[in-house]
């Protein structure tokens, strides 16, 4: 009985040694020295603690709301303004393109029976010249019936000489001048003539000071 019990004990010891070595072959080397600590650490790592009823918190199942940041909105506005400014600069650059020739969409038609001068009478330039001359000549002149006839004749000759400087060739000039007293009366000066409305032209100016008024009309008639 003693031998049998001794043999069972020895076999159990051998079996335990084989089992022990097989389970701890790939484990931590420190577990060979302390197998109880290794088993306790494995049990602690595999078992998850159950949450306690008092410490449990309800989970929030609501989705986060999307909010627009102020900085992003300002950045978008700045980008839009920059694009608008760039488009405006491009349009201005196209408008300021140099050396662009004018395009004649509709050619001016010469009426039948009208003269066709190479250069037409510049009535706007002539009007400015006459206006400057009357202002300088009659600024300090007082109306006098005895000298009005001579003054009118001299004004006509001087105005024709001034306008002749800017008049193209083959134009004849006719100057009509009227001078009157300024005594609170109303006066109306009109003129009418028959001419070629395409080649001929007219310009008119008026001047007045404290005592007199002067009305000048210049006709430019093209002569073929």
């Amino acid at each position: 009985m003693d031998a049998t019990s001794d043999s069972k004990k020895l076999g159990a010891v051998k079996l335990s040694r084989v089992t022990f070595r097989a389970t701890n072959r790939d484990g931590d080397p420190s577990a060979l020295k302390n197998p109880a600590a290794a088993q306790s650490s494995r049990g602690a790592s595999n078992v998850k603690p159950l949450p306690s009823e008092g410490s449990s918190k309800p989970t929030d199942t609501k989705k986060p709301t999307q909010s627009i940041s102020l900085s992003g909105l300002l950045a978008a506005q700045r980008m839009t303004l920059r694009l608008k400014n760039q488009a405006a600069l491009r349009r201005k650059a196209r408008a300021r393109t140099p050396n662009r020739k004018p395009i004649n969409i509709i050619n001016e038609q010469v009426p039948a029976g009208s003269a066709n001068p190479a250069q037409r009478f510049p009535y706007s330039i002539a009007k400015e010249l006459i206006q400057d001359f009357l202002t300088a000549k009659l600024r300090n002149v007082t109306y006098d019936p005895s000298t009005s006839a001579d003054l009118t004749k001299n004004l006509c000759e001087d105005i024709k000489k001034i306008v002749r400087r800017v008049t193209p060739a083959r134009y004849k000039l006719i100057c009509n001048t009227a001078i009157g007293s300024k005594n609170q009366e109303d006066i109306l000066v009109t003129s009418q003539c028959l001419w070629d409305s395409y080649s001929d032209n007219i310009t008119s100016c008026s001047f007045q000071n404290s005592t007199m008024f002067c009305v000048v009309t210049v006709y430019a008639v093209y002569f073929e």
Side-chain angles (χ1 to χ4, degrees):
M1 295 296 293
D2 297 333
T4 305
S5 61
D6 292 337
S7 62
K8 289 181 179 181
K9 291 180 179 180
L10 291 174
V13 171
K14 290 180 181 179
L15 182 60
S16 63
R17 287 181 181 177
V18 174
T19 305
F20 179 77
R21 289 180 181 178
T23 54
N24 294 280
R25 183 175 297 174
D26 299 330
D28 190 4
S30 61
L32 297 175
K33 297 180 182 181
N34 193 358
Q39 291 179 0
S40 63
S41 62
R42 289 178 183 176
S45 61
N46 294 328
V47 179
K48 296 181 179 180
L50 295 174
S52 60
E53 295 180 357
S55 61
S56 62
K57 296 182 180 180
T59 58
D60 190 4
T61 58
K62 295 182 180 180
K63 296 181 179 180
T65 57
Q66 297 179 356
S67 60
I68 301 175
S69 61
L70 181 59
S71 59
L73 182 60
L74 294 177
Q77 290 178 353
R78 287 194 295 269
M79 179 63 70
T80 304
L81 182 60
R82 190 182 301 113
L83 293 176
K84 289 182 179 179
N85 293 335
Q86 291 177 357
L89 291 176
R90 290 194 207 98
R91 288 194 296 268
K92 290 182 180 179
R94 296 193 194 100
R96 292 196 301 266
T97 303
N99 301 327
R100 179 176 292 179
K101 296 181 179 180
I103 301 174
N104 294 326
I105 299 176
I106 300 175
N107 295 326
E108 188 176 9
Q109 301 295 329
V110 180
S114 297
N116 188 13
Q119 185 179 0
R120 302 179 68 179
F121 177 71
Y123 63 92
S124 60
I125 299 175
K127 183 175 183 179
E128 293 179 0
L129 293 175
I130 297 170
Q131 192 68 50
D132 294 340
F133 172 75
L134 292 178
T135 303
K137 186 75 174 179
L138 303 177
R139 181 182 302 168
N140 299 321
V141 175
T142 304
Y143 177 74
D144 187 0
S146 60
T147 60
S148 295
D150 294 336
L151 180 60
T152 301
K153 187 184 297 184
N154 294 332
L155 287 177
C156 287
E157 295 298 329
D158 293 338
I159 290 172
K160 284 192 293 184
K161 291 179 183 179
I162 294 173
V163 177
R164 176 60 65 184
R165 300 173 187 172
V166 296
T167 302
R170 305 186 66 85
Y171 270 97
K172 291 184 176 182
L173 298 178
I174 302 171
C175 183
N176 183 13
T177 303
I179 294 177
S181 175
K182 188 178 177 182
N183 292 325
Q184 297 181 357
E185 291 92 359
D186 295 333
I187 186 170
L188 180 63
V189 178
T190 62
S191 62
Q192 187 175 4
C193 60
L194 181 63
W195 63 2
D196 188 349
S197 60
Y198 179 79
S199 60
D200 302 337
N201 215 323
I202 184 176
T203 183
S204 180
C205 296
S206 63
F207 173 81
Q208 60 180 350
N209 56 18
S210 59
T211 61
M212 63 180 295
F213 69 89
C214 178
V215 179
V216 177
T217 304
V218 177
Y219 304 91
V221 182
Y222 185 73
F223 179 74
E224 291 183 320

